[in-house]
Each structure stands twice: as C-alpha cells, then as structure tokens.
Amino acid sequence: MKAAARAFWLRSPGEGEIREFTLAAPREDEVLVRALYSGVSRGTETLVFRGGVPESQHAAMRAPFQEGDFPGPVKYGYLSVGVVEEGPAALVGRTVFCLYPHQTRYVVPASAVTVVPDDVPAARAVLAGTVETAVNALWDAAPLVGDRIAVVGGGMVGCSVAALLARFPGVRVQLVDADPARARTAEALGVGFASPADALGDCDLVVHASATEQGLARSLELLTAEGSVLELSWYGDRKVSLPLGEAFHSRRLVIRSSQVGTVSPARANRSYGDRLALALKLLADPALDALVTGESAFDELPEVMPKLASGEIPALCHLVRYGKSA
C-alpha cells in the first residue's frame, strides 16, 4: 500500500521547507517506517544548513539516504527512530533506528534498520548515530586504565565521548568547554568540568571536538610528553592555524583524526552493524538523556533550523517529534 509522507528539505543555504509526496509500496525485502522522533545533530547539520560543505567533500559528506546535492536543494539527516508498519513479520511493530533524514514515513531496505533494545526509550535512541561516533573514536584512541583524559568541546559528540569515558576504570576525565552551562551536563554524565583556562594538564589523551582552532591549540597544551590528541572536529570550508613550533616536536606530541565513515582499523573485525548495535546497547544508560536539550514538532523545522544554526536555540541534540498520524 502506498503511503503519504512529508520530508524536510534544505531548499538553499539557510532556507528550509517541508515537501509532500507519496511513497512507493515496500517490496519484499523492505520496511515502511513511521517516524516517532528524529534528532538534529547541531554541528554537522547546521554546517550543512548554512551551506558550509566544501565542494571537495560533497561525496564524503553524503548521508546514507540523502536526496539532492550540496549546497541544495538537499534532504539531509541521519538520526531517525520509528515504528515498522510494514515489512518482515519479525520487524513489524518494532521500534527501530535508521540513518534517515527528517521525514514522517520512509521505505528502506530491512537491513538498514536496527531494532532499538527494549530498555532504551525511543526518544533517547536518536542519539545512536552520535554515540556510534564516540564508540569509533574510542576504538581509535584506545584509552588505558588510569589515563588522564580531557575532552575539549562539550557539544553532542564531545559529551558522548565523555559519557563513555566515565565508565572506564581509574581514569580522570574532564569535559572542557568555554560555556559554563556545560558544567551541568558534565555533572549529569559523571565527569569533571573546567573552562579552557582552568583545565587540568599532563593528559595522556585529549579528545578534541570543539571545531575551533583555539580548542585544538589548547588540546595540545594539555598533553603530557608523548601524549595524543584525537581530532573529532570537522571544520567544513574553514581553514585552521595550528602552533606546531615551540615544544611540539621535542615533546613528541601526536595529532590523529577519527571519522565515523570508516570502522576503526583497531576493530577491523567489526561491521558497521555491530558498531551501531553496540551504540544502541550503551544508550540504556539514562544519564545520556542529558544530551537531548530541546524539542520541537516536525512541522516547525523550517523555523527552528535557522535558530539552531545561529545559536539562538542552544542545543546538543535537538529532538524532533512526529505526531501519531505522521
């Protein structure tokens, strides 16, 4: 049976709209999903919204079910949770996560959805894509028991990394951010907090996620000799200056990147599905509710997205809710 659907599109940089259309009926190996919630990842999605994806990265930045091309018109997003209305019997009625844009209903291959565990609320499950990024980052970083660690940048990704590090035995974890309001988030996640000026040094590992050159420079300053910065920020079309003189070489510091588009070589025996299933399992922790900081209805997205992009609405993950008859 065909179904009506509505989707949020970026018409042009800074301007969004909702489009209506009819979905084709799902085939035997597909599912029809009715959205319950989706999440706006403020860092990446607002960069896309303002048209900040450089041409050289258009292919690398494509979302799994993106339609259109950068800078627009484009349908973009990757944090959707819904209920399977049609499909294989084992999936019908189940709550699932899918890397799909903001849309009321959608048809995807059954292999593209992951069942949300019974102990994970649907609204919290929108964080799965970001927690998956944090899992991959920590596979890359390989922190050790007793490490001294700073996470610089208290956005959605940084807070997800800090939340997972809080579970490591014997580590000193400090979330570092210029916004004092992030102290409340750090407390909810069970980690310490400091402003950049007051952050503890002699770190074995610094995870950088502030997407600012000042944050990356401060990350290097916080390291002990032979320490490493794991760079999770993506700067889009911005150029970044970095102080690699002074003691950078004599202290043998390391900067390495991590990106969720590839499963960490440290866990090459794991699939993308394995990594996402692990992220959903970790979301059973209610402390992660602290990462959902705002909520609006799907129909409000054309008015809400510019405010998220400008910072008028401060957010980590902004929750989008869909009506029962979405």
Side-chain angles (χ1 to χ4, degrees):
M1 180 179 71
K2 293 185 177 181
R6 292 176 294 149
F8 176 75
W9 279 74
L10 174 63
R11 181 171 60 242
S12 61
E15 296 184 5
E17 64 183 5
I18 291 176
R19 298 184 180 182
E20 299 183 3
F21 54 98
T22 301
L23 294 170
R27 295 177 296 193
E28 185 176 353
D29 59 346
E30 293 180 326
V31 291
L32 170 64
V33 179
R34 174 174 57 83
L36 297 173
Y37 300 99
S38 59
V40 178
S41 175
R42 185 171 180 270
T44 302
E45 284 201 60
T46 58
L47 187 147
V48 169
F49 187 77
R50 69 173 178 82
V53 180
E55 188 173 351
S56 64
Q57 296 300 302
H58 282 190
M61 278 293 294
R62 286 193 70 86
F65 293 99
Q66 174 180 324
E67 292 183 38
D69 296 298
F70 304 117
V74 63
K75 183 176 75 174
Y76 192 85
Y78 46 83
L79 302 173
S80 180
V81 175
V83 174
V84 175
E85 293 190 320
E86 297 180 38
L91 289 174
V92 172
R94 301 299 301 272
T95 301
V96 295
F97 175 85
C98 186
L99 296 166
Y100 206 87
H102 308 285
Q103 186 166 307
T104 57
R105 279 187 172 86
Y106 48 89
V107 174
V108 294
S111 59
V113 301
T114 302
V115 174
V116 175
D118 291 339
D119 58 351
V120 177
R124 191 188 306 154
V126 300
L127 298 168
T130 307
V131 173
E132 183 184 8
T133 299
V135 167
N136 206 59
L138 294 182
W139 282 351
D140 280 334
L144 300 176
V145 172
D147 271 358
R148 295 160 295 186
I149 305 172
V151 179
V152 177
M156 194 173 168
V157 172
C159 285
S160 296
V161 171
L164 299 191
L165 285 170
R167 306 167 183 228
F168 278 63
V171 299
R172 184 193 80 191
V173 185
Q174 194 170 54
L175 182 66
V176 180
D177 198 277
D179 183 358
R182 289 288 180 262
R184 188 177 306 165
T185 306
E187 182 180 6
L189 298 176
V191 299
F193 176 81
S195 67
D198 297 330
L200 298 173
D202 292 324
C203 292
D204 304 290
L205 168 68
V206 176
V207 179
H208 179 239
S210 81
T212 66
E213 62 181 53
Q214 296 90 343
L216 183 50
R218 184 59 175 143
S219 296
L220 288 170
E221 294 172 350
L222 295 177
L223 289 175
T224 189
E226 307 275 351
S228 297
V229 170
L230 188 77
E231 176 60 280
L232 286 179
S233 300
W234 193 69
Y235 300 90
D237 55 359
R238 289 178 292 140
K239 293 184 178 180
V240 176
S241 298
L242 189 62
L244 298 182
E246 300 179 348
F248 177 79
H249 288 84
S250 64
R251 297 176 66 219
R252 295 173 56 85
L253 304 182
V254 174
I255 304 173
R256 67 166 301 182
S257 64
S258 178
Q259 209 277 337
V260 72
T262 301
V263 173
S264 170
R267 293 295 180 271
N269 61 331
R270 307 290 181 89
S271 68
Y272 290 97
D274 292 334
R275 191 178 64 184
L276 181 55
L278 174 58
L280 281 163
K281 182 178 179 180
L282 293 170
L283 280 165
D285 185 352
L288 288 161
D289 284 334
L291 304 188
V292 179
T293 54
E295 182 177 335
S296 60
F298 167 75
D299 288 334
E300 297 170 342
L301 268 178
E303 292 75 41
V304 167
M305 282 296 292
K307 295 177 181 179
L308 288 170
S310 69
E312 181 180 342
I313 298 178
L316 291 173
C317 178
H318 187 84
L319 192 69
V320 179
R321 64 179 184 275
Y322 297 76
K324 292 184 178 181
S325 59

